[in-house]
Amino acid sequence: MEKKLFLLDAFALIYRAYFAFSNNPRISSKGLNTSAAFGFTNTLLEVIKKEQPTHIAVVFDTAEPTHRHTEFAEYKANREEMPEDLAKCLPYIFQLLEGFNIAVLKSDGYEADDVIGTLARKAETQGFMTYMMTPDKDFGQLVTERIHIYKPARLGNGAEKLGPEEVCKRYEIQRPEQVIDILGLMGDAVDNIPGIPGVGEKTAITLIKEFHSIENLLENTDKLKGKLKEKVEQNKEKALFSKRLATILIDAPVELHEEELRLKEPNKEKLSEVLAELEFRRLAQQIFGEEIGKEQTEEKKDDTKSAGKKTKPGQIDIFGNTAGVTPESELSDEVPQHYKTIADTPHTYHVAADDAAIEQLLQLLLAEKEICFDSETTGLDAHNAELVGLSFSWKKAEGWYVPVPAEREAAQKLIDRFKPVFENEAIVKTGQNIKYDLSVLQQYGIALKGKLFDTMIAHYLLQPDMRHNMDVLSETYLGYAPVSIETLIGKKGKNQGTMRDVPLEQIAEYAAEDADVTNQLKTIFDPELDKIGVRKLFDEIEMPLVPVLSAMEAEGIRVNVQTLHDLSAELEKEITETDKQIQALAGTPFNISSPKQVGDILFEVLKIVDKPKKTKTGQYATSEDILQKLSGKHEIVDKILDYRELVKLKNTYVDSLPLQVNPKTGKIHTSFNQVVAATGRLSSDNPNLQNIPIRTAKGREIRRAFVARSEEYTLLSADYSQIELRIIAELSGEKNMIEAFRSGMDIHAATAAKVYGVEVDAVTGDMRRNAKMVNFGIIYGISAFGLSERLNIPRKEAQDMITQYFAQYPGIKDYMDGRIEFARANGYVETIMGRRRYLRDINSANATVRGFAERNAINAPIQGSAADMIKIAMINIHKALNEGNFKTRMLLQVHDELIFDVPHGELETVKPIIEEKMRTAITMQVPIEVGMGNGANWLDAH
């Protein structure tokens, strides 16, 4: 078997993992940002599983200065401080590597690059095939036939292996070591290597192609012309010095100890401990379920068998996934020793299986002011699942389980006996993801009345960035690991059983434990709502919204499948025709779905621009934003954009939506999630209706398939107009903007007039378009660079627009600065209704992570207030429609829009009710406008 050595560039991979989660950091229950550890471990597992190295090591830099620092004080001087969250996570990464039994290598006075370079060359002489695992381009200089770069997968692209051929092609050179010459000429802003001022990568490549090395170039400067000649001659020493700085050493004082680097079995005890501490449950399953480091054909040992996590139907799991759509790998059934379990915790769980026991339970329940309950069902879809049992608890370590018969009539009779409990307004009912239980009970004609308490939602308001799965909450706050559902019904797959298959004594323990644990969590979370100041938000918005969402999910929206089939056929024709047109324009056949081939056609065959952008891998950049900027350069560019849109529409939406239609109802029943977005926004899945395209004509056509339930009904769309701009005007108290809204002016035209210093009637279309981008961009902390990119204008012009914007709207700038200062002092910001967004990085010494937190400090109160507003409106509209006995039904919430199914005869009556409830949801001095339209389908209504 060939010896295969992987040398991992530790900090390059760790930083990459950390920033990959910057938009949605992974925060453990103890407040630790585990993004870097999670991403790095996943990368490690991926390479071990796919590449099966025989030997492996992770190489770190040390704090000691290297010869580069000694020779050049400014070396890496521009590097920012390590983010505090990342520094706190580093010890855990070392513990993970210790648990994996993977060698950690470093050498004082030498960078990780030098250690990797030295070991790679030594390994080459000992018959190894070595892979330097790093995203760093500098390693190209070390590549040989037996030493390759291994660039880990990124942004959906697979991992890349770069040998001499790939490196030489990337830099248009003859030998890989010429990479050093290119780096010496162009310098490296990241490492602060100067290079020759004004010489970029393209010029450096051109020079080395002609002169082969920096030394030869410097001896032949007479062959250069103009300013380039002047630059090179004036910076000869700088070029040679930069080349020396860029050269990776291959003589660091490290030895290659073959046995030390051999891939070994993980230290199960140590690895289990750190994985539990980091709350990496799925990774635990992946590791101990597959026994990494073993040959794939070797059977797993009995002591590494795996089972699954218990995720209740519809519940959000530890990774933010919804039950039923989770990845195949499940959690390990091995529980860390420090968690208590049902086996070592005293408890009293009763079974009420006969009339006398049921009657006794009913009397006990009716005597209580607060109870906790849970439902066990046959499936994950609340609108199709059947009840298998009910469990109750109101005292710690005590619970009851009631088995429900499989036969529907008998089941209904039994459930009806509990109607006086569930519909008793005086009894508080607690549940974990209570919307699911409420929806199931509705299928049996039971309305859940009285005050409700959802432990999942309570925790979401207390810790919005954490996970809210019951098992995690139990382990975190109770130190107790509940029974896994897969120990009862087996692993997911075709052989998995249902709860009906589980013996009574087992399901009774499992179900009663659920109610018991949830009840204990309630006692912890309830007082915290008052301490944090989110009680009103919980009692008046989030909990009243639960039955509203349940009703909307049950109602669903009718979909005309034939419309989608017709649209699919139409799109297929357009895709085929567009493909032909593109091939003809290219003059040679190529795969339009291949970004690489698209780049080759655009920039090598057609040469539509002189200096095309490249990705970090050296491939021509052909992303949508890049092609948008090239629109008009050549007819083929717009055709490729059209082709991509058509393919995405067909595959992602038009062909998949019919599969989501419930055959019984002919409707799509999406699931609304309250605990996913930290901003407070609702999300939806199965299917995700928030993402249905609206910006393009073809995308909007999909909405034509969403129709009213019958010819007697019409769909009504009610949409907040420019709500986020109105909210920032309110929050900032900016007089000029408030006045523009009060006078009914077009806010974008009004902004354009102020920014450009013209009268409103002199504002052109381009001026308004630019002002619109500034208006919305400011909310998200857009920079001059970002604005110039989006508007395709010079950066100075973009900066002037932003400067003028703040001069005309000084209150906006004061608001932005004020929110950032408040966040720095308090660690969070709030919406109008008191919803909090915690910003752990707001005082970070690292400008990148601090900047992200500052943008959130500005945006979260705006976006969160908009979310609160539409939630309040939904609650009030639902109540008004019920009190008026209207047949009108609220079906969907998509961003700032609500969709209703309305009988023609009720339309003119309900429109003003809906509008009034939306306008007055939150009292503001800025007028709120609601746009309304109706039609036979969603497109016509919108």
Side-chain angles (χ1 to χ4, degrees), residues 506-718:
Q506 283 184 269
I507 194 173
E509 290 276 289
Y510 165 85
E513 180 192 60
D514 265 6
D516 176 19
V517 165
T518 304
N519 186 56
Q520 291 183 54
L521 289 172
K522 195 257 184 183
T523 63
I524 293 171
F525 296 157
D526 198 9
E528 290 296 316
L529 295 173
D530 293 308
K531 288 181 187 175
I532 300 296
V534 291
R535 169 69 67 185
K536 187 173 181 181
L537 193 62
F538 181 79
D539 285 343
E540 297 182 17
I541 299 180
E542 295 297 349
M543 289 314 303
L545 187 64
V546 170
V548 177
L549 296 178
S550 175
M552 291 167 66
E553 291 172 0
E555 190 65 39
I557 185 167
R558 188 172 158 234
V559 172
N560 188 325
V561 173
Q562 189 56 51
T563 299
L564 290 171
H565 288 332
D566 292 344
L567 182 55
S568 180
E570 185 183 321
L571 288 171
E572 184 62 44
K573 282 182 185 176
E574 289 193 48
I575 289 168
T576 303
E577 181 57 34
T578 307
D579 188 324
K580 287 179 185 174
Q581 293 170 359
I582 291 169
Q583 304 292 352
L585 289 166
T588 182
F590 73 103
N591 180 4
I592 307 170
S593 298
S594 164
K596 183 180 185 307
Q597 292 188 36
V598 168
D600 291 343
I601 291 292
L602 293 181
F603 307 120
E604 290 187 4
V605 177
L606 299 176
K607 300 184 187 298
I608 66 171
V609 289
D610 293 331
K611 296 180 180 179
K613 286 193 176 181
K614 288 188 176 183
T615 65
K616 290 181 179 178
T617 63
Q619 190 173 295
Y620 290 114
T622 60
S623 59
E624 184 175 351
D625 60 326
I626 294 289
L627 294 189
Q628 291 284 5
K629 290 173 189 172
L630 297 174
S631 177
K633 296 284 186 184
H634 193 288
E635 188 183 350
I636 197 172
V637 176
D638 291 316
K639 291 292 181 186
I640 291 171
L641 285 169
D642 289 344
Y643 178 87
R644 288 182 177 177
E645 184 201 354
L646 294 168
V647 170
K648 182 178 179 180
L649 289 175
K650 185 177 186 299
N651 295 343
T652 308
Y653 303 105
V654 177
D655 290 345
S656 64
L657 281 172
L659 305 177
Q660 304 273 8
V661 175
N662 186 308
K664 292 180 183 176
T665 64
K667 295 178 177 181
I668 278 179
H669 300 265
T670 189
S671 177
F672 291 101
N673 303 317
Q674 286 173 266
V675 300
V676 173
T679 58
R681 287 274 193 190
L682 290 173
S683 65
S684 77
D685 56 26
N686 295 328
N688 180 355
L689 298 182
Q690 308 275 1
N691 280 351
I692 289 180
I694 189 64
R695 291 183 180 175
T696 63
K698 281 292 174 190
R700 288 192 289 272
E701 280 299 309
I702 295 171
R703 296 190 172 205
R704 197 179 296 283
F706 291 81
V707 296
R709 72 183 62 200
S710 68
E711 291 183 0
E712 287 74 43
Y713 280 72
T714 184
L715 288 187
L716 172 66
S717 166

Side-chain angles (χ1 to χ4, degrees), residues 873-893:
M874 291 166 72
I875 294 164
N876 293 340
I877 291 167
H878 182 77
K879 182 181 178 184
L881 293 177
N882 283 343
E883 288 177 349
N885 290 317
F886 291 106
K887 292 181 180 178
T888 295
R889 294 290 179 265
M890 186 158 48
L891 309 182
L892 297 178
Q893 185 268 353

